Amino acid sequence: MFDATTILAYKGKNKAVIGGDGQVTFGDSVLKGNATKIRTLYKGKILAGFAGSTADAFNLFEMFEEFLEDKKGDLLKSVIEFSKAWRKDKVLRRLEAMMIVLDNDHIFILTGNGDVVEPEDGEIASIGSGGNFAISAARALRKHVHEMDEEILVKESLSIAADLCIYTNHNIKTLTL
């Protein structure tokens, strides 16, 4: 886990949503409170978010987008090829970042070890220091608040994480498919 951020993604019945806080920390200091750690990729059809080093994440986003282009937006094929490249490349293996990528059909966590993890429930994934708080809140809301809009669920879950995690703030941004 990275003590740097909180990213939460939810692939619900109606929408796919990713959200992240805006806090960038260095040790025990806040460097910036309004960073954007989520973005759309491949013609707005893929959502992605990162936790870890900002410079590393931008490199990974750019590289992953090349795989998406090569695979014509096929997320499953792209994450498999991307993880192989990340694992094999001596420079990339040293990058300190994790990513969540999703579309309306799939959701994956990608790590520098070359891991491609599809959440057990296939719907909710989180990364970063506040990730466990956010995913716990999201699972509880999904289970007990029926018919909650996916974007509202992500925002509320991240807000709960921000109340608990010192590395997460309330400057929450979301993107939706």
Side-chain angles (χ1 to χ4, degrees):
M1 286 286 199
F2 293 97
D3 294 332
T5 195
T6 303
I7 302 294
L8 177 69
Y10 179 40
K11 185 181 66 68
K13 293 176 187 171
N14 304 308
K15 301 177 198 171
V17 180
I18 195 163
D21 74 315
Q23 187 161 293
V24 175
T25 57
F26 184 75
D28 58 3
S29 298
V30 175
L31 294 179
K32 184 175 182 174
N34 64 346
T36 301
K37 304 169 194 172
I38 57 174
R39 63 170 50 175
T40 59
L41 303 173
Y42 193 73
K43 305 172 187 174
K45 296 178 182 177
I46 306 290
L47 302 176
F50 74 90
S53 164
T54 305
D56 292 349
F58 286 124
N59 288 329
L60 292 171
F61 278 150
E62 187 176 298
M63 182 180 165
F64 186 66
E65 195 141 36
E66 290 173 12
F67 282 92
L68 285 168
E69 290 292 332
D70 184 55
K71 301 296 180 193
K72 297 178 177 50
D74 185 314
L75 185 58
L76 179 59
K77 289 180 181 177
S78 297
V79 298
I80 291 167
E81 292 304 314
F82 178 70
S83 70
K84 288 178 190 176
W86 196 351
R87 183 176 45 243
K88 291 178 183 177
D89 190 286
K90 290 179 184 180
V91 174
L92 291 178
R93 278 194 314 234
R94 292 189 182 113
L95 298 183
E96 297 181 10
M98 294 178 73
M99 294 173 56
I100 294 179
V101 294
L102 73 152
D103 61 13
N104 289 313
D105 298 316
H106 301 285
I107 182 170
F108 299 103
I109 299 171
L110 308 174
T111 75
N113 295 328
D115 299 319
V116 176
V117 180
E118 187 170 20
E120 186 173 323
D121 64 8
E123 295 180 357
I124 305 173
S126 65
I127 56 176
S129 56
N132 287 336
F133 299 116
I135 200 167
S136 296
R139 287 177 178 165
L141 288 171
R142 181 186 63 187
K143 183 176 181 179
H144 296 291
V145 182
H146 303 290
E147 304 303 320
M148 179 177 266
D149 177 80
E150 289 89 341
E151 187 172 4
I152 292 171
L153 183 140
V154 168
K155 286 181 178 179
E156 289 299 318
S157 300
L158 286 168
S159 182
I160 290 167
D163 288 341
L164 300 170
C165 177
I166 62 170
Y167 298 105
T168 305
N169 70 11
H170 285 277
N171 190 348
I172 296 165
K173 296 177 177 128
T174 60
L175 295 171
T176 303
L177 295 177

